[in-house]
Amino acid sequence: KAEEALARGAKRARARSGKAIVLDPKTGEILAMANYPSFDPNKVRKLNTGDWKNRVVQDQYTPGSVFKLVTYGSALEEKLISPLSTIDCGNGTITVAGHTFNDSHAIGNVSYKEAFAQSSNGGAIKVSKKVGKRNFYEYARKFGFGSKTGIGLPAEAGGVIRDPSRWNRDSLASMSIGYEISVTALQSAAAFATIANDGIKIQPHIIKEIRKSDGEVIRKAKPQTERVVSQETAQDLRAMLRQVVLDGTAKRTKLNGFTSAGKTGTAWKYDPKLKKVNSNLYVSSFIGFAPADNPKV
C-alpha cells in the first residue's frame, strides 16, 4: 500500500524520485518502507542507475521547514517561548549578516503556534536566536541528526550537521529553517516519532525477533531509548503540529476518519548551471502522525 501511494503521489507531482516510511512511534518498529522509482528484480539488466537504492536510508537531502521541529522544540524545552505567546514575524523578510530570508507572505504579529503553522521563516529565525548556536546544535544531535540511526540496513547515511565552530554568521538562521544541513528520511521520521512518543526517542528497527525453525526465539530487538525533550514540550509540539494541519500549510493532509498532525517542508536546490538556488528545483516533504492525540503511526 505504501509503494502504491508513493508511486501515485510521485507521478502526480512529476517528481524525479520519492520515498515513504511508516513506523510505530511507541516501539520504533518499521511498518513500511517504499522507494520510487522501484525496479523488477527479475529484470536486473534493465535497471536504471540508482533505481536499486534504498533512498529512505541512503539519500541525504536538505530538509527545509520540517527541521523547524528542532527550532521550536529546543526553544520550548528551554522555556524560551510558549505556544500562545506572541512574536512579530514582520513584513515577510528578515536579514541576517547580509543574507535576506523571505516568507511566502507577511503574517505580522501572531502567536508562536500560528507562526509555526504558517511556517514563517522570520519567526523561526527569531526563535533560533533565543536558543543560540551551541544549544541549537546540541538539540539537533539529540534528535538524531548528524549520525546514523543504526537501523541495520546497508549503506545508511548519517547526514551532515557541522559543529558551530565552523558556522558562518548566517548559519544559525539558515539551519533554523532547514538549510546548510543534510538529513535522511529515516532520521526525520524518527525525530517526529520522538514527539509522538512524548519526547522519548526510540531507535528504529526492521527486525522484531529471530526464531529457530521450531519457533524458539533466539533474539529479540532491544532498541536504544533516550529522552530528548520533556512530556510537556512534546505535548505542546503535538498541538502546534496539529494546528499546521487544521489551519496551516498542511491542510491537504487531513484524513478521513482520523485526526492528524505534521509539518510540510520545501527546500530549493542549488543549480550548478546557474550557480545559485533554482526555485524550479526543490525537495518537497511532509512528516506527520495519526491519530493526533495518541499517535499510532
Side-chain angles (χ1 to χ4, degrees):
K1 288 295 183 184
E3 287 179 335
E4 289 170 0
L6 174 63
R8 282 197 304 271
K11 288 172 184 174
R12 189 166 59 239
R14 298 196 299 277
R16 198 169 72 186
S17 65
K19 40 197 169 277
I21 184 166
V22 185
L23 56 83
D24 183 332
K26 304 287 196 293
T27 65
E29 293 175 10
I30 302 298
L31 308 179
M33 189 180 285
N35 289 273
Y36 174 88
S38 188
F39 65 93
D40 184 346
N42 295 304
K43 300 175 181 177
V44 176
R45 291 180 181 177
K46 294 183 179 180
L47 279 181
N48 293 317
T49 303
D51 281 0
W52 60 85
K53 281 176 65 178
N54 185 352
R55 299 178 184 277
V56 173
V57 299
Q58 289 180 253
D59 276 6
Q60 300 182 118
Y61 62 97
T62 301
S65 289
V66 292
F67 204 75
K68 289 173 183 173
L69 184 87
V70 174
T71 308
Y72 280 84
S74 56
L76 287 166
E77 182 68 7
E78 294 294 317
K79 303 202 180 314
L80 300 168
I81 65 170
S82 64
L84 298 181
S85 55
T86 57
I87 179 174
D88 184 5
C89 295
N91 62 358
T93 66
I94 184 171
T95 301
V96 179
H99 181 177
T100 299
F101 299 85
N102 298 298
D103 284 331
S104 59
H105 60 285
I107 59 174
N109 211 46
V110 295
S111 68
Y112 283 97
K113 189 176 184 179
E114 185 65 18
F116 185 72
Q118 297 299 327
S119 204
S120 167
N121 289 333
I125 289 168
K126 288 185 175 181
V127 170
S128 72
K129 282 185 178 179
K130 292 177 181 287
V131 176
K133 289 166 63 173
R134 178 54 61 176
N135 252 355
F136 182 88
Y137 173 78
E138 294 295 342
Y139 274 101
R141 294 304 307 264
K142 281 177 73 176
F143 269 103
F145 296 102
S147 55
K148 297 177 182 180
T149 67
I151 190 174
L153 291 171
E156 182 184 6
V160 177
I161 177 165
R162 294 172 290 129
D163 186 87
S165 63
R166 297 167 54 207
W167 291 8
N168 301 318
R169 289 194 302 139
D170 62 347
S171 289
L172 177 60
S174 292
M175 290 180 182
S176 73
I177 61 173
Y179 284 87
E180 280 196 40
I181 52 174
S182 66
V183 305
T184 68
L186 181 60
Q187 286 175 337
S188 300
F192 275 72
T194 297
I195 300 308
N197 192 37
D198 283 335
I200 298 174
K201 180 176 70 177
I202 299 185
Q203 184 180 26
H205 55 283
I206 57 165
I207 297 176
K208 188 170 189 172
E209 60 187 31
I210 297 174
R211 302 176 186 169
K212 290 183 178 179
S213 57
D214 62 4
E216 179 191 350
V217 176
I218 57 174
R219 197 180 91 190
K220 278 197 169 187
K222 295 179 181 177
Q224 295 178 348
T225 63
E226 177 189 357
R227 179 164 288 284
V228 176
V229 294
S230 67
Q231 184 175 1
E232 179 186 2
T233 294
Q235 288 173 341
D236 283 345
L237 264 178
R238 285 208 298 272
M240 292 170 76
L241 290 162
R242 177 74 179 129
Q243 192 67 27
V244 178
V245 172
L246 290 176
D247 192 40
T249 58
K251 284 184 276 193
R252 289 174 62 193
T253 66
K254 289 177 184 175
L255 303 174
N256 292 325
F258 295 95
T259 57
S260 59
K263 185 75 187 76
T264 55
T266 304
W268 313 118
K269 291 181 180 179
Y270 179 80
D271 190 333
K273 293 179 182 176
L274 299 176
K275 295 186 177 179
K276 64 178 183 178
V277 167
N278 185 343
S279 60
N280 292 316
L281 303 174
Y282 54 91
V283 176
S284 196
S285 57
F286 174 77
I287 311 175
F289 45 80
D293 294 329
N294 183 23
K296 302 295 184 188
V297 292

